[in-house]
Amino acid sequence: MTSINSSFDWVTSSREGSLSMRNSEDENFYGKYHILTKNQPFLVLLIFMSCVVGALLRTFLKEWNVPIIIILCFIGVLLGVLGYFVNEVKALTEYIAGIDPVLFLHIFTPVIIFTAAFEMDFYIVRKSLFQILLLSVPGFLLNCTLIGWLTYKINKYDWNWHVSMLFGIILSATDPILSVASVKNIGLSKIVINLIKGESLFNDATTVIVFELYKDLVFGHHTEYVKEVIIKLILKFFASTIFGFLSSRLIIYWLSHIFNDGLTEVILSFSMTYMIFFIAEWIGMSGVISLTVLGILLDSVSFSPGVDEFIFRFWAMLTFLAYVLIFIIIGIVIAVKTFPYVTVRDLFYILTVYLALNLIRGLVVLFLSPLLSRLGYGFNWRWGTVIVWSGMRGTFTLNMALEISHAKDPGTRAMKSMILLHAGTASLMTLMINSTTVKKLVTTLGLCNITLPKRMAMYNAVQRIKEMEANTFSMLKLDRFLADANWTMTEEAIKIDYPYKFDIEEVSQIVRTLKCPDCNKEISYETTPQQIADILEEARLRLLTAQIASYQKQYHAGMLNQEAAQTLIGAAESYVDIKGKFMNIHEVKTYWESKGLLVSFKKLLSDWVYSVKDEKFKSSRNKILKLCHQIVFMEEFEYISHIVTLLNFVPILMDFMPYLSELYRNQLKISNYYFIGLYILEASLKVVAMGRTYIFHHWNCFDLVIIIIALIDIMIINVFKPLHRTDHMIKIVRIFRVIRLIRLLRVLKLVIPHLISLLEKQINKQLTFRYDIAKGYVQGEEDTKYLIEQIAGHETISKEINKIMEKNKQDAMKELGLMQRDYPDIVTAVKTKQAVQTVLNTATETLKVLISGGIVDKNEGEKIQKMIFEKKKNIGTLPCTIAPPTAEELLHSISWLENEKTQIEFIQKKARLLCYDYGDVICEEHEMPQGIHLIISGMTKLCGSSPCYGIDKDIYEQRYPTTLIYTDYLVSGAIIGELNCLTKQEMEYTVTCETAVQTCFISMDDLFEAFDKFLECPSLEYKIWLKLALDITFKTFKENLAYQDWSYKMCTKFPNVYVMDVPTHSKCDIYDGTMDDVILVHGSVQDCQQLQPYFAPCILPKTCHQVQGTAAVTKLLIVRTATSVKRKSSRRCSNVCQYHSSMRRQATVGNTVKTDGSNQHSLRPDADTDVLTPGQSISVSVL
């Protein structure tokens, strides 16, 4: 035991000795157990601890009206004070307090400037630009001058005029983020918010420039100060703006070539922001102005669909972290550098400076208000009050004060500390007082009052949410897993209160507007014209919001390109502040209308190259002349001509160089004769080969001019050579030497065809852009049409908006039809790309469902997704022009003829081609249909009453009263009269030709003969009914369930749908467990249990289980459940076809076809006219 102990003592002592030796040699560690490490980067710990504290404060003080950054600043001050007592903390705080102002500027400024500019509305900024510039340049100069003068007069620090002016410049800068942080989400007008933010951004840019120039003036040494100032102003203002614009173009071009890579786009936006700021500052420009221009020109649509939200969140996070670190650092700097010099008297000056800032800012805005009221969106005293009180001091004020505190030249250390102290306290005072009270000020001034129309709209929204909650609540009670839930507690927990309070009169108005107390139906109350105007204006604003949402949705779905989406969104936003103005296609056209320069230039070049007088000539029988003809029209001959022109460029260039011209005078003279001889030889061969037609070609005339000038040049040189040279002779020779350069224009023979090709591509892009805008506008009108009743909240308003939007939509449809007529190949290409995009979007949605359901592994899904993305990327490589489909191709593309060779051949034999002129009537309202027309080319206008879908007209008008005349435009690929032929009912509209139109006509006799011939399942008649039923169903879903996207759902349900016929007085069971939805697409039915009538088109409720047909022709579209047993197609089809076959045998159909005003071409093989055979193609245009 003793030996063991002694051994242990030896080991212990030896280990302690080795540890003592290590401690003596290595000072990186300290502590009893040699664990704690010395020289750790505690600055990193402080940075991330600051972020943690900021996150905690944001979590716990989110509902409090206390700026978090004030608390962070006080935490920084406490750390600085703690450094006076703890040496370890002092080393850290002094290191932070010594931060380089240039580093401070380059770290934090780009984030704040870009975020503020990126959030601004380009179109509002564009209109209010002069107001912003007036506030930020003259307003700033007045502001800083008055502050400097007041400081110079009342301060007790013995500051001279220059220091006082620098102090005024520092305190005149406002922060673009902090100034609007308290008012941007309380309902204040976007105009005022953009005005405040824009003034702050350009104010900061002006501040930095003026601060730098004035500091150099006071403390620098210059020999040519005026010249230097002019150069700096040009660089800071004009060059910076151009640099920002070019940078935005570069980034947008780069982003357009990044396909669906959000991470790369975020990294690009982050890195390019800092690089642009650094480069601008490095070469003497203003990084603030460059980033401001960049941020304003970029928007959410500049990035790939779906990335925009992440971009906003990313920059919002960076901005929050930047402010956390800024105010922690400034708190430490103030505590370390100013506390030794602070006295009680300084507290009085702090309050005086704060009051002076607001007073002087108010006086400046008041002085400029007469001019502001005449610019942009106008101006009023309420806006001015908010702008004055929103002038928060922040980053730039603190940065310039920090720069003064680090400067070596100006003033004493106490003076620098006082500037830093007052700048920091002014920033804190504006945040503590202005920022916390500006919301109350805006409310008091009535700038964010919630008007009665807004309250009504909110009431409608809450009512709808409550209805959906009640429906969900009732359905959940049927869930066997939730049957024993505490429904009383659940009902209490889901109650939603109205966000706005109403007085008794407003409540009565709203209730009377929405529900009748007796029958619970929606009614309208008597309103004053002013109330109607207010409600209409509120509905207009919400409609514009819905249109913007539709354009963004189309862009995310790939149906709108980036430029078209930006244009439509910007156009809609520009209408927000134009009271009573609805977005219409005639004003949207101004965004796409070309100035005509490219088209005119292309026409000029094409006329020069290709427009030649018609003069036919034949090759001569003479062997020599025939040989010349063959030589001239060989491609090699043209190539040799171009080479000769390029070679001639060398001696002409040498002739302009004095040394070479003198050295090689004879050689240049001989080469000149040589090339003129070649030109004469070329012209002679062409004259011999082409004869009289030679002179009709523009290039040949140009060649003759060159030859004549060259000969005159030779004559003048030879005439003047023996004579005594005078000044006039030398000038004449020099003039002709310059004229020789015209020979080089012969190269344009080679360049112009390529230039025409490039111009054509650019024009095609413009036309594609034009079509995209019109198509996106029409789709936006379609999407918002179904929301009008919910947006309007008033019957009168709903009718008025419906009337306006229907007219706008029809005007846009007409524009689309005219583009279809004028540029069929471009429109066909756009439609082809949109079709590909739509199908690939469906593939993407399907893949998401498979991955979320666990059917496809995530890694496998990524491989499939990559292939789909590659296909989407290849859409951009599709040609800009595609030949429109022929008549045969259009027949093959009809959904009820697709892939049915026998049926297509039958229709081809029976069909006739009819040609109509502009203004011709294809069919008239109230006449019996003669057949169906497939439009091959041109555009038609439908005008009459709305389709009744098999309902008696009196009943339909009673249920859907409207004063609007039904109007629509159809273009190539559309079919006229399908439903009327199937039901043998009179036409409900008149079809007029808006352009020259060609149609493929199939008479009713031939159509019904096809029905009787093709009875195999699915029969031809059944397929037509299915096509019509799907079209009606999709419109019905969009109208009744406007908040849901039914495009993908209908694609998934398409294989599980069929059409069911319900004969008159026959009963039919529905919702028997095998049906998801039942849609009445034609006719009317009655609920056999509740005797409730239903009229097409409508979605039958799931409480209805048996219906009885009450119309002559009643059709239901059944959407089966995915797990239901498929019905036999033969049984379903045969019932439908036998029923209608019996009806057809009892009916008499006219054999005549209306052909007034049209030219007929039979498609029958036995007719001596044009026959539409599989090998024949007819030029058409397709929308």
Side-chain angles (χ1 to χ4, degrees), residues 263-292:
L263 183 60
T264 302
E265 294 183 38
V266 172
I267 294 173
L268 177 63
S269 69
F270 176 71
S271 57
M272 289 299 290
T273 297
Y274 275 88
M275 285 180 61
I276 290 168
F277 183 83
F278 180 86
I279 293 171
E281 292 289 330
W282 182 32
I283 60 180
M285 296 188 293
S286 172
V288 177
I289 292 181
S290 296
L291 282 188
T292 300

Side-chain angles (χ1 to χ4, degrees), residues 116-134:
F118 188 58
E119 293 175 351
M120 293 182 71
D121 190 311
F122 171 75
Y123 291 91
I124 294 178
V125 172
R126 184 176 66 178
K127 187 169 183 178
S128 58
L129 180 62
F130 289 105
Q131 291 176 304
I132 292 172
L133 293 177
L134 188 64

Side-chain angles (χ1 to χ4, degrees), residues 944-956:
S945 56
S946 300
C948 297
Y949 300 106
I951 307 172
D952 185 79
K953 192 171 183 180
D954 295 333
I955 298 175
Y956 184 85

Side-chain angles (χ1 to χ4, degrees), residues 10-35:
W10 178 81
V11 172
T12 304
S13 61
S14 63
R15 184 171 300 172
E16 290 176 353
S18 62
L19 285 173
S20 62
M21 290 176 62
R22 188 186 308 172
N23 286 334
S24 63
E25 295 176 357
D26 188 359
E27 297 182 354
N28 291 330
F29 299 92
Y30 64 93
K32 182 177 180 181
Y33 297 102
H34 194 68
I35 295 175

Side-chain angles (χ1 to χ4, degrees), residues 528-654:
T528 64
Q530 183 59 43
Q531 287 176 324
I532 291 291
D534 292 341
I535 298 172
L536 178 61
E537 179 63 16
E538 181 62 28
R540 184 189 72 87
L541 294 175
R542 294 182 182 272
L543 198 66
L544 286 172
T545 304
Q547 287 174 325
I548 292 172
S550 173
Y551 303 145
Q552 290 174 335
K553 181 181 176 182
Q554 292 179 59
Y555 172 68
H556 290 161
M559 306 309 294
L560 272 180
N561 62 33
Q562 185 184 93
E563 189 177 4
Q566 286 176 327
T567 302
L568 285 170
I569 293 171
E573 289 177 343
S574 67
Y575 280 86
V576 170
D577 298 292
I578 306 175
K579 191 171 183 179
K581 192 75 172 178
F582 286 82
M583 191 175 175
N584 62 78
I585 192 63
H586 298 295
E587 295 188 10
V588 173
K589 282 172 64 176
T590 59
Y591 291 93
W592 81 54
E593 285 180 340
S594 172
K595 295 185 175 73
L597 181 61
L598 292 180
V599 177
S600 301
F601 188 44
K602 180 199 168 187
K603 186 176 183 302
L604 177 65
L605 294 178
S606 299
D607 290 344
W608 175 266
V609 177
Y610 303 114
S611 294
V612 181
K613 291 183 181 180
D614 293 332
E615 183 72 22
K616 296 181 180 179
F617 65 95
K618 296 181 180 179
S619 176
S620 175
R621 295 181 180 180
N622 186 286
K623 292 183 179 180
I624 297 176
L625 297 180
K626 189 174 183 180
L627 177 63
C628 291
H629 183 275
Q630 292 175 351
I631 293 173
V632 167
F633 288 96
M634 290 174 59
E635 290 186 1
E636 291 79 0
F637 185 82
E638 286 296 323
Y639 294 151
I640 294 172
S641 175
H642 298 324
I643 292 172
V644 169
T645 303
L646 293 175
L647 290 175
N648 195 12
F649 176 75
V650 177
I652 291 175
L653 184 63
M654 292 175 65

Side-chain angles (χ1 to χ4, degrees), residues 8 90 133 192 203 240 307 616 680 947 997 1027 1124 1172:
F8 181 79
K90 182 178 180 180
L133 293 177
V192 184
N203 186 332
S240 301
V307 180
K616 296 181 180 179
I680 294 173
V997 175
K1027 178 253 185 182
S1124 62
L1172 185 64

